[in-house]
Structure formats: C-alpha cells, structure tokens
Amino acid sequence: MAANTRSRLIIATTFIAAFILTSLPGPGWAEPFRPDWVALVLIYWCMATPNRVGVATGWTVGLILDVLYGSLLGQHALAKTVVAFLTLKLHLQVRVFPLWQQAVVVLLLLGINQLLVLWIKGIIGTASSSFGYWSPMFIGMLIWPWLFIILRDIRRRAHVT
Amino acid sequence: MINALGKPLPFKPPSHAARLTFFLLLSILVMVIDHRGTHLQQIRSALSVVVYPIQLTASVSAQSAARVSQLFSNENSLRQRYQRLRRENSLLLARLQKYEAVEAENARLRSLLRSAERVTDRAVVAELLAVHPEPSTKKITLNKGSNDGVYIGQPVIDAYGAMGQVTELGVFTATVTLITDASHAIPVQVNRNGLLTIARGIPLPDRLFVPFVATSVDIREGDLLVTSGMGGGFPAGYPVAEIDSILSDPNEAFLKITAQPKARLNHNKEVLLVWPGSTVGKTETGE
C-alpha cells in the first residue's frame, strides 16, 4: 500500500531529522540547552498515530540514541520505551488539551525520561549531580508548541494517519 | 482492538502493557550484557554503521555553516589571523630547532647508557565527527574506524597533550572516552620529580582528580603531570594536566588534588590518533 509506505517514510524522516539535530556539534556552553529532540518527536507520533508508533519504535530509537551517545546500550532504549508507553496511555486525553497544557504533560514525560536515564547511570556509577542535567526538559517544554504545529502540518499535508 | 477506520482487526495484537514488559526486560538484558563485558561490541559496530550517515550529515552541515560565516568575515580579521599564525609558526620552528638538537643529544646520551632508543610514535590526524551531547559523559566520535587500523584502547592526543582513548570501534568511526570522563583513569607521573600516580576523570566539570596521594608527598600546584607509560596504553611522556589546586584536610589521609587538562578537550576539530612506537616503554635502564 503506497500511502502506508509513505506514512512510514515521513515518520522515519522526522526521526532522522531529530537524530541529526541531536548530534549537531555546537559550542560547549550551549549543550545544556539542547532539547531531547528524539523524545519530543516520539511523543508527538505516539500521540498522533498510536497505531503506527508505540513501544517498539520507542525502544528502537532509544537504542540508536545509545549508539549515537556511546552510552551503555539499553539505557535510553529503556527510558524511551517507558515514555512511549505513558504517551500511548495518555494520548486520548492529552490530544484534546490546549497546547500549553500539552506542554506541561510533555515536561512531565521528559522528566520521567531524564529520571530513568539518571537512575541507570547512578547504578553503573556515571551519574552527574549538576542542575544542567535537567535543563533539556524545560527547553523541550518551551519548544513543544512550535514542534507540535510543525509536525501537525507535515502530518496533514502528507496525510499520515 | 479497533483500527483507525473503526473496523475491528482480524487478530488481537499484544497489549501495550505486554509490549512494555517485553521491551523493558529486553533493555535490562542488553544493559546487563553490555555492562558486564564486550559481547555486544559486534552489535555496536554494526549499529554504528547505521548511525554514521546521521553523524556525517550533522558534521557536514555544521562545517558548511562555519564556511559561510568565513565568507562573511572581513579581510582585516583574516589578515590579523594570518599574521598571528605566521608569528606562531616562526616561534614553533625556532623551538623545533632546539628540539632537534636536544633529541640528538638525548639519543647520544641514551646510547652511552646502553638503553633503548625511543621510537617516535606514528600519528594520524582524525576529524571530530560528533561530540556526545550529554554533559556528564565526555566522549567524542572520530571519522576513523577499524577500516583505518584504529584499535580499542588506542591513545588519542591533540597538539597540547593526551585527550583520551578509543573505547568503541565502528567500521568508519571510533568513539573516544576523554580523560575527564568519570569512567576513565590514566597512569601519570609528576614531571618535576617522577612521582607515579593516576589521574581520574570526575563527572563535572572538566577537571581531573588525583586520588590517593598522601599528605607527606612532594607535590605542588603548577606541577605538570605527564603520561608514565605504565599499563601500556599511553606511550610515556605526553603532557596530561597541570595541578591547579591541592587541598589538605587534617582529618583525611590523602590530599584532595585537582588538575586542569592540558589538551583542549572542547575546542578541537582535529585530533591525533597515535600508534605507539614498538620499543617505547620496553627496556629503559639508567633512569
């Protein structure tokens, strides 16, 4: 089915864009301000197309993220799996929220994501205790409304269902 | 289970909770295996090939952005930069003359002492492909991999000192753990008096921590730490860090020493991969 393949292609492209934004080199001081693009895109697609993007997609993109970061294989995979699951559970309610309320839910989801990664890092002993670790989730919340509108436009133009 | 069109699906797919459980267990399994040993190295290198185009695109787009900004930089600043580089070059050349003389003298003295001559290490320039964006893990990815003869544990330096070592290897890429990463420790010695110790990375900031130095030991602020060549990873004699603070707590048996890395860990576009010379660190009598 052509529409099916195209939908998958569009979703994959947005994830690839998120990976590129994640690994774009920048000045050192800007690192704490880099949002977790992959988590944001994952949350969007879980909310918009829960039949296509779910727990398995979360795990896969998390694993790719682990390779990209050079971190312990599986730590981001686990966090993204949980984020995808929670988004699927909440998607019917959150979908109808106004954007700013959605952003608050996204903040919580990103917080859970960060917390899980920090927890695993704590177990293997590479955790850091700086406040800068938590800043990406606030940046993510601020970016959410814009990202949501852009991705919704893409989804509607390409008829991804 | 009902699909988007409102028709019931022909079969019942596993519930979200079941999938969650499956993937959580899978993640934990992968983490345990990856943490315990190197069994997943193959999978990691296979996946790194998948990730390579992403890193390449990011790196190329950043480079072209830098090139565009160069186009707009004015002639004056370019001329200033050129002047500065020329001055620096003549300075370095002058220093190199002295270095060559010293090297010749060193070889002569070593032959007098009948010790092995130091072989100069082979080095290849590698470009930085990606910096791992998490502030707590200090790792970088280079554009050279097993295809170019890179191996795990290989030392990486820049123009100013030791940077880190290769810890993960892909076909076209290699991930380097920097000396300031919390999981990294490097055997060093104090250049002034030859005191042997180690320098460990700490989670934050970009500093090294020198553990287990007793309060009675002769070590000062400003001392240069160089690689000692112990452990066989790094060849001896590369600068590592300069001690910038020593705290002595009368209740503790050891000093609290931090050191500032010599290498410019966050400012490099190009680094050097080193293949240590074969006779370095083998037999050195008469020290």
Side-chain angles (χ1 to χ4, degrees):
Chain A
M1 205 153 87
N4 197 358
T5 323
R6 207 187 47 199
S7 298
R8 276 192 196 158
L9 213 65
I10 300 256
I11 293 173
T13 312
T14 56
F15 273 118
I16 288 171
F19 283 127
I20 290 172
L21 284 172
T22 305
S23 51
L24 213 56
W29 56 264
E31 285 311 333
F33 301 105
R34 191 194 292 270
D36 192 340
W37 293 105
V38 175
L40 289 170
V41 172
L42 179 70
I43 291 171
Y44 177 79
W45 288 120
C46 281
M47 224 178 258
T49 58
N51 294 325
R52 286 186 188 283
V53 175
V55 176
T57 316
W59 190 79
T60 314
V61 296
L63 198 70
I64 295 175
L65 216 50
D66 278 326
V67 178
L68 210 58
Y69 282 156
S71 50
L72 182 73
L73 275 185
Q75 69 179 41
H76 286 96
L78 185 140
K80 296 288 180 288
T81 308
V82 174
V83 167
F85 174 75
L86 291 175
T87 315
L88 287 180
K89 281 278 143 194
L90 297 171
H91 81 274
L92 285 177
Q93 290 101 340
V94 179
R95 215 149 45 162
V96 294
F97 280 178
L99 274 181
W100 70 269
Q101 275 184 27
Q102 272 188 13
V104 174
V105 177
V106 167
L107 176 74
L108 290 178
L109 289 171
L110 292 177
I112 291 166
N113 177 31
Q114 300 274 88
L115 192 70
L116 283 170
V117 173
L118 186 71
W119 186 47
I120 295 162
K121 280 187 176 170
I123 293 172
I124 59 171
T126 55
S128 71
S129 54
S130 77
F131 189 72
Y133 178 79
W134 297 101
S135 55
M137 66 190 232
F138 296 103
I139 304 292
M141 179 181 82
L142 294 178
I143 279 181
W144 173 256
W146 282 272
L147 188 80
F148 180 84
I149 291 167
I150 292 168
L151 286 176
R152 191 183 54 188
D153 271 9
I154 292 174
R155 183 172 65 84
R156 286 188 179 160
R157 294 231 175 116
H159 302 289
V160 180
T161 47
Chain B
M1 199 70 186
I2 289 172
N3 72 6
L5 298 171
K7 290 177 193 150
L9 290 178
F11 62 94
K12 192 173 178 293
S15 72
H16 291 320
R19 287 186 203 188
L20 175 75
T21 319
F22 172 74
F23 282 110
L24 281 186
L25 290 177
L26 193 61
S27 306
I28 292 167
L29 185 74
V30 168
M31 275 190 279
V32 170
I33 296 174
D34 196 29
H35 192 51
R36 283 293 156 88
T38 53
H39 307 290
L40 292 180
Q41 198 55 52
Q42 305 274 323
I43 297 173
R44 212 186 253 278
S45 16
L47 283 172
S48 78
V49 176
V50 178
V51 165
Y52 179 63
I54 294 169
Q55 289 173 327
L56 200 64
T57 319
S59 155
V60 165
S61 53
Q63 272 170 16
S64 46
R67 213 162 287 149
V68 169
S69 74
Q70 258 174 26
L71 276 180
F72 289 105
S73 68
N74 58 19
E75 200 188 324
N76 200 20
S77 76
L78 281 178
R79 191 169 293 147
Q80 273 177 11
R81 203 163 141 211
Y82 172 68
Q83 292 293 349
R84 192 171 50 80
L85 286 174
R86 257 184 65 169
R87 266 202 305 278
E88 212 174 278
N89 193 27
S90 55
L91 205 76
L92 288 173
L93 279 176
R95 239 183 247 167
L96 191 66
Q97 285 174 19
K98 220 163 79 187
Y99 173 75
E100 270 163 7
V102 169
E103 194 180 47
E105 190 185 337
N106 193 5
R108 210 173 56 242
L109 288 172
R110 275 180 185 280
S111 69
L112 281 177
L113 292 163
R114 285 195 199 82
S115 71
E117 209 172 315
R118 273 165 197 254
V119 170
T120 33
D121 306 320
R122 190 163 77 86
V124 164
V125 176
E127 267 185 55
L128 211 67
L129 208 56
V131 175
H132 293 270
E134 283 177 297
S136 59
T137 54
K138 289 155 193 156
K139 292 183 179 179
I140 54 175
T141 302
L142 306 179
N143 69 342
K144 296 265 190 294
S146 56
N147 218 15
D148 308 280
V150 178
Y151 60 92
I152 291 220
Q154 182 166 24
V156 177
I157 62 170
D158 73 351
Y160 305 95
M163 282 189 80
Q165 55 180 306
V166 175
T167 45
E168 282 146 28
L169 198 56
V171 181
F172 308 111
T173 55
T175 302
V176 176
T177 302
L178 298 180
I179 50 172
T180 48
D181 189 88
S183 64
H184 193 270
I186 181 170
V188 293
Q189 74 186 123
V190 177
N191 201 28
R192 186 166 51 83
N193 56 11
L195 173 76
L196 288 167
T197 178
I198 54 171
R200 253 181 37 202
I202 42 180
L204 281 169
D206 277 344
R207 284 279 190 291
L208 289 166
F209 179 66
V210 184
F212 310 129
V213 175
T215 43
S216 58
V217 164
D218 173 25
I219 193 163
R220 293 180 212 151
E221 281 176 25
D223 274 349
L224 179 69
L225 301 174
V226 299
T227 51
S228 65
M230 298 276 160
F234 269 91
Y238 287 110
V240 176
E242 194 179 294
I243 290 174
D244 63 354
S245 90
I246 299 180
L247 283 178
S248 177
D249 183 348
N251 297 323
E252 304 268 339
F254 301 114
L255 293 168
K256 232 181 151 175
I257 304 172
T258 57
Q260 168 94 41
K262 275 287 179 191
R264 297 189 174 178
L265 297 174
N266 294 324
H267 304 278
N268 285 307
K269 281 271 170 65
E270 277 135 16
V271 301
L272 291 165
L273 281 160
V274 180
W275 279 264
S278 50
T279 59
V280 165
K282 252 190 187 168
T283 46
E284 281 180 21
T285 52
E287 283 270 325

